[in-house]
């Protein structure tokens, strides 16, 4: 292996180390605690609504509005499950049930949220609309965190070879 290959491998290892450090730092942060709590509370509140008052609300709708209600509730449930899944991965990292490096795998990333025009929301129950708006806002925040932690940092500025060497020396000699 040539000297440039070793330097490139070392740079990749340092990039991965800094990414996993960032993931661990977030998983142990107050921001994570608040976001996790908010996400899980929203999942519970929404489930309670959809299983209770939401069922009754949907029975009062016209056939077309009931169909729109069903579509919106499925989108809402899917969005909340994506948020919950992402948050549970971060909690698994926090509790050492998953490595930070594993959490960096693309299969744990959030998909882009399609911004859609509000489809006939004027006929839908206000509670369903409010849950949908809250879920969209939370999804956007979690997606921002996901990008910041896992995606945006992948193409960081070029590695400083002098800093690279200093880091290697620190690692070798403590």
């Amino acid at each position: 292996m040539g000297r440039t290959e070793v330097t490139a491998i070392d740079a990749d290892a340092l990039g991965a180390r800094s990414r996993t450090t960032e993931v661990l730092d977030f998983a142990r942060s107050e921001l994570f605690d608040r976001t996790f709590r908010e996400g899980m509370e929203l999942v519970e509140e929404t489930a309670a609504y959809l299983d209770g008052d939401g069922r009754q609300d949907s029975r009062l709708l016209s056939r077309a509005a009931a169909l729109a209600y069903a579509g919106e509730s499925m989108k809402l449930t899917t969005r909340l499950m994506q948020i919950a899944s992402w948050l549970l991965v971060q909690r698994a990292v926090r509790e050492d049930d998953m490595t930070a490096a594993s959490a960096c795998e693309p299969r744990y990333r959030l998909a882009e949220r399609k911004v859609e025009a509000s489809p006939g929301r004027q006929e839908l129950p206000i509670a369903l609309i409010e849950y949908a708006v809250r879920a969209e806002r939370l999804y956007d925040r979690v997606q921002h965190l996901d990008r910041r932690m896992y995606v945006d940092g992948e193409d960081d500025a070029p590695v400083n070879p002098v800093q690279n060497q200093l880091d290697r020396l620190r690692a070798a000699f403590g």
Side-chain angles (χ1 to χ4, degrees), residues 3-139:
R3 185 175 185 91
T4 55
E5 292 175 60
V6 171
T7 303
I9 291 169
D10 291 344
D12 288 344
L14 284 173
R17 195 172 326 130
S18 68
R19 176 154 320 285
T20 57
T21 300
E22 188 172 340
V23 171
L24 283 167
D25 287 347
F26 171 72
R28 295 174 180 147
S29 72
E30 174 68 28
L31 175 61
F32 170 73
D33 289 338
R34 285 191 319 264
T35 306
F36 186 86
R37 203 169 29 256
E38 179 183 355
M40 294 306 147
E41 286 172 3
L42 184 56
V43 167
E44 288 177 20
E45 287 176 36
T46 303
Y49 169 75
L50 292 173
D51 286 340
D53 292 343
R55 278 186 206 269
Q56 292 174 333
D57 290 347
S58 69
R59 289 184 187 129
L60 302 174
L61 299 172
S62 69
R63 187 172 181 86
L67 187 58
Y69 177 94
E72 281 297 307
S73 64
M74 286 189 336
K75 281 193 262 183
L76 173 59
T77 302
T78 300
R79 179 150 300 127
L80 289 172
M81 289 303 101
Q82 291 169 333
I83 293 167
S85 177
W86 189 88
L87 291 168
L88 289 170
V89 166
Q90 308 318 307
R91 187 175 75 174
V93 169
R94 176 187 202 148
E95 295 176 355
D96 293 325
D97 292 333
M98 174 184 239
T99 66
S102 294
C104 292
E105 293 177 21
R107 65 182 167 164
Y108 298 116
R109 301 293 55 79
L110 283 178
E112 283 294 318
R113 181 173 76 82
K114 295 176 186 173
V115 178
E116 304 168 0
S118 301
R121 283 189 171 177
Q122 64 275 7
E123 292 184 51
L124 296 176
I126 191 70
L128 180 69
I129 294 168
E130 288 172 352
Y131 285 119
V133 168
R134 286 175 59 196
E136 288 168 5
R137 287 183 182 152
L138 182 59
Y139 192 93

